Amino acid sequence: MTTVAFDGKTMAADRQMNTGNMKHLAARSKIRAGEYHGMPALFAGAGTTVYSDAVIEWLVAGMPDEHKPEMPQTPDSFTVIVATETGVYEYIDSLRPVPLGQIKWAIGSGGEYAFGAMAAGANAKKAVEIACAFDVNSGMGVDVLTLRKK
């Protein structure tokens, strides 16, 4: 459970991790910078960390066939978003990119709150802060990365 938002320039994510009914501070940031098809990109995952982290590592490594992650049998167990200057892409269990057709996006248990906040004019950081005020599965601060230009 998490909240991640991208406003076209910056990506923000909360710092809370949940294990069962216990919440704790994430060991590291949920967002990372790298390259995607030769373009600067930001990556983040929501849902089951073991799957989202494996997909992000695979994407950042250039999607080598020999390191393609095994996907869960349970659909909707994770979502990964990749944000570039030209668009936002979503990866789920098929490992095929779904272009989202817009430059702003939010995912996770607080994603709808964050998306609404951005629609009302908030930047990604403020949107995640607003989501954390309402979503019990998000909180403990916000990390932010800015998409670098090519």
Side-chain angles (χ1 to χ4, degrees):
M1 307 292 190
T2 197
T3 301
V4 176
F6 179 69
D7 62 16
K9 184 173 86 173
T10 60
M11 186 177 283
D14 75 301
R15 295 179 182 149
Q16 181 175 311
M17 296 286 287
N18 296 344
T19 305
N21 291 323
M22 188 172 62
K23 60 183 181 179
H24 51 92
L25 191 62
R28 60 174 168 69
S29 178
K30 298 175 184 179
I31 51 179
R32 294 180 234 183
E35 286 199 356
Y36 181 74
H37 297 295
M39 294 183 291
L42 298 174
F43 303 83
T48 306
T49 306
V50 67
Y51 297 119
S52 61
D53 281 355
V55 171
I56 291 169
E57 288 171 16
W58 176 68
L59 291 168
V60 170
M63 298 172 273
D65 286 337
E66 66 272 13
H67 296 295
K68 190 172 185 176
E70 299 231 0
M71 291 297 92
Q73 298 300 316
T74 308
D76 300 322
S77 61
F78 76 95
T79 302
V80 169
I81 61 168
V82 180
T84 69
E85 285 183 337
T86 59
V88 179
Y89 304 87
E90 181 178 62
Y91 282 82
I92 51 174
D93 55 352
S94 70
L95 291 184
R96 291 195 176 105
V98 176
L100 297 175
Q102 55 193 44
I103 204 69
K104 293 183 181 182
W105 200 253
I107 61 169
S109 56
E112 291 172 351
Y113 295 116
F115 203 92
M118 287 190 299
N123 64 26
K125 181 176 190 263
K126 185 65 175 172
V128 172
E129 290 171 345
I130 290 168
C132 290
F134 296 100
D135 177 35
V136 298
N137 294 304
S138 299
M140 297 191 167
V142 177
D143 290 320
V144 177
L145 285 179
T146 300
L147 183 63
R148 65 180 174 83
K149 302 287 182 185
K150 183 158 180 147

